[in-house]
Amino acid sequence: MTPHNNANLGDIAENVLMPGDPLRAKYIAENFLTDYKLVNTVRNMFAYTGNYKGKKLTVFSSGMGMPSMGIYSYELFKFYNVKNIIRIGTCGAYSPKLNLLDTILVDNSFTIGNFAKALNNDDCHLVHSSNKINNKIQEVGISLGYNFKKIEPINSQETINNNNNNNSIYLGNTVCSEVFDYYADDFEKFISVFPKDLNIIAAEMEAFALFYTAKYFNRDASCLLSVVDSRFRNQEISAQDRETSLNNMIKIALETAIQLD
């Protein structure tokens, strides 16, 4: 046990799915796992271990932000012998080519923050997700009828896409922010410091900490995201929808997790 986790050694599987929201972890356990049990309740950061298609899996909530993700992923890798973590989260779109509830597979996560400096005295601000897991996600996704598309920078001749393509998963780089970007006083100034060559397509708040911690322990981590808001649209989905309507992303993550070494 740790100060943040009251699971016993052996209660947590080698392969873990990590939503941010504890209620999403509960939703996944109740709707997708069999013979599941609640293995962590500290700070109501729920974790459930059960079976998916006969394979042992854990769904462990991370909470919001890099500090919270950093704590839980560090402890899972170091103390609970976890090998692979797939974050399944939500994001805001930075590309007009993305629609609400589109799915993103993260390639690189960029941050202007100092998570790596604080953990490991490493002046690192860009970290890659696991090639092993990303390749498996693409293999699984294709078998389920999805295609994977790289989002290129928009040019002045293109128009905003208003048609959801539920069969596509978009590959791209994301920013991992220390603040909820909608609260930034000057959004354009906020995004102006991001390297232009990265073509950042979305923002979230946990992936950099997960990827860097996995790298630190020589383990593997990836991130699937569903778009739940966009600066290009006067639309958003409710908190309840964020909890329950992300099943496509969840299913791909589950199918991937049971095939990982």
Side-chain angles (χ1 to χ4, degrees), residues 139-152:
E139 178 185 318
V140 166
I142 291 169
S143 74
L144 294 174
Y146 295 93
N147 58 75
F148 289 79
K149 296 181 177 180
K150 193 84 171 178
I151 291 190
E152 300 299 332

Side-chain angles (χ1 to χ4, degrees), residues 110-129:
F110 169 79
T111 187
I112 60 174
N114 289 306
F115 180 88
K117 188 75 170 178
L119 178 65
N120 193 34
N121 198 31
D122 182 8
D123 189 21
C124 173
H125 298 275
L126 183 70
V127 64
H128 196 279
S129 56

Side-chain angles (χ1 to χ4, degrees), residues 21 26 30 49 64 83 118 121 123 129 135 145 150 166 169 183 196 200 214 217 219 237 248 250-251 257:
D21 184 357
K26 182 174 184 286
E30 292 176 343
T49 295
M64 288 191 290
K83 293 182 177 179
N121 198 31
D123 189 21
S129 56
N135 289 340
K150 193 84 171 178
N166 293 327
I169 297 173
Y183 298 160
K196 298 297 186 291
I200 290 171
F217 285 107
R219 306 295 171 84
I237 62 174
N248 288 345
I250 292 168
K251 181 71 177 296

Side-chain angles (χ1 to χ4, degrees), residues 11-236:
D11 283 347
I12 295 175
E14 291 183 343
N15 298 329
V16 174
L17 269 56
M18 292 197 82
D21 184 357
L23 293 180
R24 194 175 304 131
K26 182 174 184 286
Y27 172 81
I28 294 169
E30 292 176 343
N31 289 276
F32 294 93
L33 302 185
T34 59
D35 302 320
Y36 64 87
K37 66 176 182 178
L38 183 63
V39 297
N40 182 60
T41 58
V42 177
R43 297 174 181 257
N44 284 336
M45 204 61 66
F46 302 142
Y48 298 85
T49 295
N51 294 309
Y52 181 73
K53 295 188 174 180
K55 301 290 183 67
K56 183 179 178 182
L57 289 179
T58 295
V59 184
F60 201 121
S61 51
S62 70
M64 288 191 290
M66 285 191 280
S68 187
M69 171 60 86
I71 288 170
Y72 290 107
S73 60
Y74 185 101
E75 293 182 353
L76 291 175
F77 287 133
K78 182 174 178 64
F79 301 118
Y80 289 92
N81 301 319
V82 168
K83 293 182 177 179
N84 306 291
I85 296 177
I86 302 174
R87 164 163 155 68
I88 42 175
T90 57
C91 67
Y94 279 10
S95 169
K97 297 182 180 182
L98 290 167
N99 286 288
L100 297 187
L101 296 181
D102 278 347
T103 301
I104 294 170
L105 175 59
V106 179
D107 189 14
N108 295 283
S109 179
F110 169 79
T111 187
I112 60 174
N114 289 306
F115 180 88
K117 188 75 170 178
L119 178 65
N120 193 34
N121 198 31
D122 182 8
D123 189 21
C124 173
H125 298 275
L126 183 70
V127 64
H128 196 279
S129 56
S130 164
N131 286 324
K132 179 188 82 171
I133 299 181
N134 279 18
N135 289 340
K136 181 58 70 173
I137 286 173
Q138 291 184 65
E139 178 185 318
V140 166
I142 291 169
S143 74
L144 294 174
Y146 295 93
N147 58 75
F148 289 79
K149 296 181 177 180
K150 193 84 171 178
I151 291 190
E152 300 299 332
I154 194 166
N155 62 53
S156 60
Q157 304 303 313
E158 291 181 287
T159 57
I160 291 177
N161 175 23
N162 289 305
N163 298 311
N164 287 81
N165 187 343
N166 293 327
N167 292 322
S168 293
I169 297 173
Y170 297 96
L171 302 163
N173 299 325
T174 57
V175 65
C176 190
S177 176
E178 294 176 299
V179 300
F180 183 49
D181 56 5
Y182 270 53
Y183 298 160
D185 286 342
D186 186 334
F187 182 80
E188 294 304 322
K189 184 176 181 181
F190 173 80
I191 65 174
S192 68
V193 299
F194 305 159
K196 298 297 186 291
D197 61 336
L198 288 181
N199 185 30
I200 290 171
I201 64 172
E204 54 85 57
M205 300 181 73
E206 291 83 32
F208 182 91
L210 173 61
F211 294 173
Y212 189 85
T213 305
K215 177 183 175 182
Y216 180 79
F217 285 107
N218 196 28
R219 306 295 171 84
D220 289 280
S222 183
C223 180
L224 283 164
L225 300 168
S226 287
V227 176
V228 294
D229 56 62
S230 172
R231 59 186 293 248
F232 301 98
R233 290 169 170 75
N234 293 318
Q235 300 171 288
E236 61 181 34

